[in-house]
Amino acid sequence: MKYIALVAVIGILLLQWTGAIPLASVGGSMTIGFTFLAAALAVGIHEAWTKKRGVLGWIVNIVVSLVGAFVAAPLGGMVLGILLSDGSRSLAATGGPRFSVALAGGMLITLLGSWGALWIVNRWR
């Protein structure tokens, strides 16, 4: 799981540093959201693969992982935005290291939400 987090954070930072995240349109938010969900999907698939789940287990893992990401990402993004913002402009508009920290932190919070949701469901199994 550590490797998924490392690859996901490096991937989102590479997208930012190469300019693949457009900062002036809705495409930037969609790109960031897609990468967060792709990482959560990887967590669900990895957990289903390593635990040798059946078909229903794969479906449950993927759905639960995505639901955990959908819950954690907005909450974590809001907290990071408040903590890292200077109040003048958005983090995407300012760019730079603060935006990089916000992207990496948002990815880690999203993955923690995904892992947490899977942990809760695994306790019920």
Side-chain angles (χ1 to χ4, degrees):
M1 296 282 192
K2 293 181 227 176
Y3 295 118
I4 293 174
L6 182 65
V7 168
V9 168
I10 289 171
I12 194 90
L13 291 177
L14 281 175
L15 284 174
Q16 186 219 357
W17 293 336
T18 59
I21 299 175
L23 301 178
S25 68
V26 73
S29 299
M30 290 180 66
T31 303
I32 294 167
F34 177 72
T35 55
F36 283 8
L37 292 179
L41 181 66
V43 168
I45 290 171
H46 176 268
E47 204 271 342
W49 182 276
T50 56
K51 302 286 186 187
K52 295 181 173 57
R53 305 279 187 216
V55 174
L56 184 61
W58 275 75
I59 294 169
V60 168
N61 273 10
I62 290 171
V63 169
V64 167
S65 178
L66 291 175
V67 167
F70 273 113
V71 170
L75 296 174
M78 180 180 59
V79 170
L80 282 172
I82 291 170
L83 291 175
L84 295 174
S85 178
D86 61 357
S88 62
R89 298 189 313 180
S90 71
L91 287 171
T94 55
R98 271 196 231 168
F99 188 49
S100 298
V101 169
L103 285 174
M107 180 62 80
L108 292 175
I109 290 171
T110 301
L111 292 177
L112 282 174
S114 182
W115 284 322
L118 286 171
W119 180 79
I120 290 170
V121 168
N122 285 336
R123 301 278 293 166
W124 289 344
R125 288 184 184 177

